Amino acid sequence: MGWPSQAPQQHERLRYQPEHDAAVVALNSSANYLGSAVGSALGGIVLLAGLTPSSLPFAAGCLVLAALLVQWLIISSNRKRGNAKNMSDLMQ
């Protein structure tokens, strides 16, 4: 998901921080590269732990579910505090 989503992510971030355009794009790209490196490392760790390559999609799915749960908790917390007026406020 990282590469196809990079341009829309940068567009959204530039919309909220137009005065820091170079830094926004650089930080977003760096986060994308970091995510690729961490994902590769976790895949290697899973393989070293003895899981077969066919079990990698299951392990990756578990990480996606964990990330979705954390995101849901963050959004729920913002709504309870009344910080979010619209969807864009949830992302800040």
Side-chain angles (χ1 to χ4, degrees):
M1 282 298 291
W3 301 116
S5 65
Q6 190 168 3
Q9 286 174 351
Q10 289 176 350
H11 176 74
E12 282 299 307
R13 281 153 181 75
L14 286 171
R15 192 166 61 134
Y16 289 110
Q17 295 292 328
E19 65 277 357
H20 302 294
D21 54 351
V24 167
V25 170
L27 286 172
N28 190 58
S29 295
S30 296
N32 203 343
Y33 294 134
L34 179 63
S36 295
V38 170
S40 297
L42 288 175
I45 291 169
V46 167
L47 290 175
L48 283 175
L51 274 75
T52 61
S54 62
S55 63
L56 282 177
F58 176 74
C62 289
L63 286 174
V64 168
L65 287 175
L68 288 173
L69 176 65
V70 169
Q71 184 66 33
W72 179 75
L73 290 171
I74 291 169
I75 290 172
S76 298
S77 174
N78 283 341
R79 284 185 181 159
K80 285 180 184 172
R81 287 186 295 197
N83 294 341
K85 295 178 186 71
N86 55 41
M87 193 62 174
S88 63
D89 289 340
L90 293 173
M91 300 303 159
Q92 295 178 343

